[in-house]
Amino acid sequence: MATMTISLTMAGGAALLHLWHFARCVIVRGKAKILHGDGGNALMAHRMRAHANFIENTPLFLILLALVEYHAGASPWLWAAGYIFLLARIAHGIGMDK
């Protein structure tokens, strides 16, 4: 049976990134006292969009990564693809603040 090490590692990293995106939204909400939506706060809108974009794209990436790993086995290319995806998600979250 395949251990799916790459997929599980990337899923764990994605879970941590999800918490990071969530926390960044909570921080702005607390400071700006925003209860619902973005409250007209540009930074809140940007962080919400970065979080939503993460949620929209990550499941499909993880499913495809797992399918390739299951079919073809572990590969340095899959590790690289996973790390590049996670780093790009961090860069996107930070970049949306600008």
Side-chain angles (χ1 to χ4, degrees):
M1 175 176 234
T3 59
M4 307 294 285
T5 304
I6 299 170
S7 301
L8 291 172
T9 301
M10 296 309 146
L16 293 174
L17 282 179
H18 182 263
L19 292 174
W20 175 70
H21 278 291
F22 173 76
R24 287 168 41 91
C25 289
V26 168
I27 289 167
V28 174
R29 280 190 189 285
K31 287 181 181 177
K33 299 187 186 328
I34 301 169
L35 188 58
H36 298 290
D38 62 22
N41 182 305
L43 181 58
M44 185 74 240
H46 291 247
R47 289 197 177 176
M48 285 173 63
R49 191 60 226 142
H51 189 203
N53 185 274
F54 178 83
I55 292 168
E56 293 162 0
N57 290 289
T58 301
L60 179 61
F61 175 80
L62 290 175
I63 290 167
L64 292 174
L65 183 76
L67 289 172
V68 171
E69 184 178 10
Y70 182 77
H71 177 70
S75 157
W77 292 104
L78 284 179
W79 281 108
Y83 284 125
I84 290 168
F85 178 81
L86 294 179
L87 289 172
R89 299 285 81 203
I90 294 169
H92 182 259
I94 293 169
M96 288 292 288
D97 280 1
K98 306 292 182 228

